[in-house]
Amino acid sequence: MLFKEFSQDINPHQAYRIKKLKRKIEHAESYEEWKNLALKIDEESGAQEWKYDNTSPYFDAEIIAHRLNLLRRYRLAERTSDLMYILREGLTYDVANIAHPMLFTATYVGTKKIIEDYIEEVSNSLAFIASKECHLLSTQEKIEFFKNCQVAYGQPAIMFSGGATLGLFHTGVCKALLERDLMPQVLSGSSAGAIMTAMLGISKPSEMMHILNGESFFTEAFHFRRWEDILKGNGGIADVRYLKKFLLTNLGDVTFEEAFKVSGLHINIAVAPYDASQEARIMNSYTSPDLLVWSAALASCAVPVLFPPVRLTSKRQDGEHTPYMGRTRWVDGSVRSDFPQEKMARLYNVNYTIASQVNPHVVPFMQTDAERFRKDMLSWPERIVRRQGKVISKGIMDFTRERVGGVPAVRRLLDHGHGIVDQRYYGDVNIVGKYGWRHYSYMLQNPRPHLFRLLQREGERATWPKISMIETHARVGKTIQHCLELLEYQQNPVEHAKSEFIAV
């Protein structure tokens, strides 16, 4: 059920009030203001009533109701063993399909009441097991239980797309999530998203909000070369030295391993070998611990034509810089792996992803959740066109590669094109920029305060409607984490206090 379906029972006065509230919500200056207006819209439209109707084709309400009753009964009766059994049985963020995106499109805030109650009860049950009221288990046994829960449940990841200067949108996404304590510990970025990922990844947790004030971004990252230099054939349209200087100034001489020790964040930067015969890679503290973060970010920003391919640099134990895979040159990771979801899932046990998408060649084709998951017959023609368009595009490029693939420049261009068409650009939660023609004029501008504030606010406003969905997905995982931290502190308060001090 979508918001528009409630309109049939709305009288003209209600419709006017809703229209007025919608105009206000578009100019909200904070999440609190946005949420207050959103709740009023839900109330006026009758969408709140939808929350109490358990019928839905998108999740199994009977399973959730049954599990909710069992959890509540066992917790109140302090039947710890039974409670642990039921918790383990359904320890996934989308049990009975409660994470389906369509369950978050009918209202501005929240979802079905039974789902909210279920998430609340799971959190309460976990908190009970961690509490001193639970006498059946020792502290060590509780710690082992919650560690197992953490592995079983997984963790979220956020992915930042490319988009040149439009990537300032990501700062708004980060700001909105950090303010609500919803920022995942696993991040990935390509091109402009790599810069956002890297800046957060080298910073202490206490410094992250300061980075998002924008001062670090106000520099000459783009400097276009003269035509006579471009025609000589060496390099791209822009001078890579200015971008390198910007990255060195803001990221310093830090490796991925060192960055993790500072921030505690698992940062991943997508890069692609210039030679398309090799697969795209993600650089992180596991796959390339000695690689310099600025070097990976530079490679990920090396958009073909705009910047030349670059070589990566690593740092040895003695601090000396050495080439990383010296014979290989690297380019923009978004060409072939804008969102490296599968690779991150294997490395970090990721259970769901948040995608912040601002790529100018992708955003115009992105669909809302309501559009993607429509089931009516009117949606079939568009689905067919989209799917067949992708197949035809890939077929044309394959055909062309067979005929003129012997020309290296043409081959690389077609390989990059094939990679762009063949990617998946959606996450489980999608935060997408809204573009007008003026946005394309921002793409290669050097960031300035007014442009930074504009794009950051757009990022915040695009994130606020997704907060309810992210909070619902994150609630159980955060409860497990908090319970584990509490138990570890109770077991060894001195050591835990030291580790907390180091992380700050």
Side-chain angles (χ1 to χ4, degrees):
M1 184 181 292
L2 303 178
F3 176 78
K4 62 183 180 183
E5 293 181 33
F6 299 119
S7 60
Q8 57 189 1
D9 298 322
I10 294 175
N11 62 50
H13 296 292
Q14 284 178 303
Y16 173 75
R17 288 196 297 269
I18 291 170
K19 187 176 181 180
K20 192 174 179 180
L21 287 167
K22 283 186 174 182
R23 282 200 297 266
K24 286 184 178 180
I25 206 170
E26 289 176 358
H27 300 94
E29 294 297 322
S30 68
Y31 176 68
E32 288 70 25
E33 181 186 353
W34 182 93
K35 186 176 180 180
N36 287 334
L37 292 167
L39 288 170
K40 289 178 182 178
I41 294 174
D42 286 344
E43 189 66 39
E44 288 282 357
S45 67
Q48 289 285 6
E49 298 173 10
W50 170 87
K51 292 183 177 182
Y52 293 89
D53 180 5
N54 290 344
T55 58
S56 171
Y58 300 109
F59 83 112
D60 194 324
E62 289 186 10
I63 290 177
I64 295 302
H66 177 65
R67 290 185 56 79
L68 174 60
N69 290 332
L70 287 177
L71 288 169
R72 188 173 289 156
R73 187 196 316 163
Y74 293 157
R75 177 176 61 84
L76 294 174
E78 298 187 6
R79 293 169 57 178
T80 305
S81 296
D82 292 331
L83 187 61
M84 291 169 65
Y85 179 85
I86 293 297
L87 283 169
R88 286 190 179 118
E89 193 178 54
L91 202 58
T92 171
Y93 89 102
D94 62 348
V95 60
N97 215 28
I98 60 174
H100 196 288
M102 287 297 283
L103 295 170
F104 298 87
T105 60
T107 58
Y108 276 79
V109 179
T111 182
K112 294 286 189 182
K113 185 67 167 58
I114 192 172
I115 294 176
E116 293 175 348
D117 290 344
Y118 175 74
I119 297 295
E120 180 73 18
E121 184 55 46
V122 171
S123 297
N124 290 340
S125 297
L126 289 166
F128 166 74
I129 293 173
S131 71
K132 294 181 180 179
E133 297 173 8
C134 177
H135 307 293
L136 184 66
L137 304 174
S138 67
T139 301
Q140 182 57 40
E141 288 173 328
K142 290 179 181 180
I143 288 173
E144 290 176 4
F145 170 75
F146 280 100
K147 282 184 176 179
N148 290 335
C149 287
Q150 202 168 45
V151 172
Y153 194 76
Q155 63 178 325
I158 186 166
M159 307 176 295
F160 301 111
S161 76
T165 304
L166 295 174
L168 294 174
F169 176 95
H170 299 317
T171 66
V173 176
C174 292
K175 186 170 181 285
L177 294 178
L178 283 168
E179 287 175 347
R180 306 296 299 173
D181 191 26
L182 293 171
M183 192 69 181
Q185 299 296 298
V186 179
L187 295 76
S188 81
S190 60
S191 196
I195 297 176
M196 186 74 262
T197 300
M199 283 190 164
L200 293 175
I202 64 157
S203 305
K204 295 178 181 179
S206 58
E207 298 172 345
M208 290 180 186
M209 285 301 291
H210 176 71
I211 288 173
L212 299 177
N213 67 14
E215 292 178 8
S216 300
F217 295 90
F218 306 148
T219 187
E220 297 291 328
F222 290 116
H223 184 84
F224 295 98
R225 302 166 69 213
R226 296 179 303 176
W227 280 109
E228 51 266 35
D229 294 331
I230 295 172
L231 293 174
K232 290 178 182 178
N234 296 320
I237 296 173
D239 193 332
V240 74
R241 292 175 298 178
Y242 285 81
L243 178 60
K244 182 178 179 179
K245 181 182 178 182
F246 163 74
L247 294 173
L248 280 167
T249 301
N250 288 285
L251 302 179
D253 200 44
V254 180
T255 66
F256 278 93
E257 186 174 48
E258 292 167 344
F260 175 72
K261 291 177 181 177
V262 171
S263 67
L265 297 177
H266 295 283
I267 60 171
N268 301 265
I269 293 179
V271 296
Y274 187 52
D275 179 3
S277 63
Q278 299 183 57
E279 291 294 323
R281 293 181 58 180
I282 53 172
M283 302 304 190
N284 53 52
S285 59
Y286 291 133
T287 62
S288 49
D290 300 321
L291 182 65
L292 289 163
V293 175
W294 70 259
S295 175
L298 181 65
S300 193
C301 290
V303 181
V305 180
L306 182 61
F307 291 112
V310 301
R311 300 191 188 278
L312 294 173
T313 305
S314 59
K315 185 170 72 172
R316 298 194 320 189
Q317 296 295 326
D318 59 5
E320 184 179 344
H321 289 190
T322 59
Y324 180 92
M325 295 183 65
R327 293 180 177 272
T328 304
R329 293 184 298 166
W330 306 81
V331 295
D332 178 11
S334 65
V335 170
R336 273 179 273 162
S337 186
D338 203 22
F339 291 157
Q341 301 180 53
E342 293 181 3
K343 293 176 181 177
M344 288 199 301
R346 289 196 296 268
L347 282 171
Y348 304 107
N349 191 27
V350 171
N351 57 1
Y352 71 91
T353 56
I354 303 168
S356 179
Q357 179 59 261
V358 291
N359 247 323
H361 62 280
V362 175
V363 168
F365 301 99
M366 294 286 285
Q367 294 178 294
T368 64
D369 291 332
E371 291 168 340
R372 287 173 64 207
F373 295 101
R374 284 174 60 190
K375 293 186 176 182
D376 57 282
M377 291 185 64
L378 293 176
S379 67
W380 290 5
E382 183 180 357
R383 288 188 182 187
I384 292 170
V385 169
R386 281 178 172 271
R387 290 178 182 176
Q388 291 305 310
K390 185 174 181 178
V391 171
I392 291 169
S393 298
K394 289 163 64 177
I396 291 172
M397 283 186 279
D398 287 338
F399 177 83
T400 308
R401 278 194 295 191
E402 291 174 3
R403 300 299 185 276
V404 294
V407 181
V410 175
R411 175 77 184 194
R412 276 193 293 269
L413 182 64
L414 291 169
D415 286 338
H416 293 330
H418 197 282
I420 290 170
V421 172
D422 201 33
Q423 287 187 59
R424 179 187 173 192
Y425 290 102
Y426 290 97
D428 297 297
V429 180
N430 298 287
I431 303 169
V432 184
K434 292 182 179 179
Y435 282 177
W437 288 109
R438 63 188 175 90
H439 285 82
Y440 289 90
S441 68
Y442 301 152
M443 280 179 54
L444 299 179
Q445 289 186 26
N446 283 303
R448 292 293 179 264
H450 72 282
L451 182 57
F452 177 86
R453 287 192 296 270
L454 172 69
L455 293 174
Q456 184 179 72
R457 182 45 56 91
E458 288 185 5
E460 287 183 271
R461 287 174 176 158
T463 306
W464 292 336
K466 303 292 184 177
I467 291 291
S468 286
M469 189 177 187
I470 297 170
E471 282 180 334
T472 302
H473 293 349
R475 176 71 187 277
V476 173
K478 292 185 77 66
T479 301
I480 293 171
Q481 180 185 347
H482 292 160
C483 288
L484 186 56
E485 289 174 355
L486 175 65
L487 291 165
E488 288 177 339
Y489 176 78
Q490 290 174 354
Q491 187 181 56
N492 198 336
V494 176
E495 286 299 318
H496 192 74
K498 285 181 180 178
S499 65
E500 286 292 312
F501 176 77
I502 291 169
V504 172

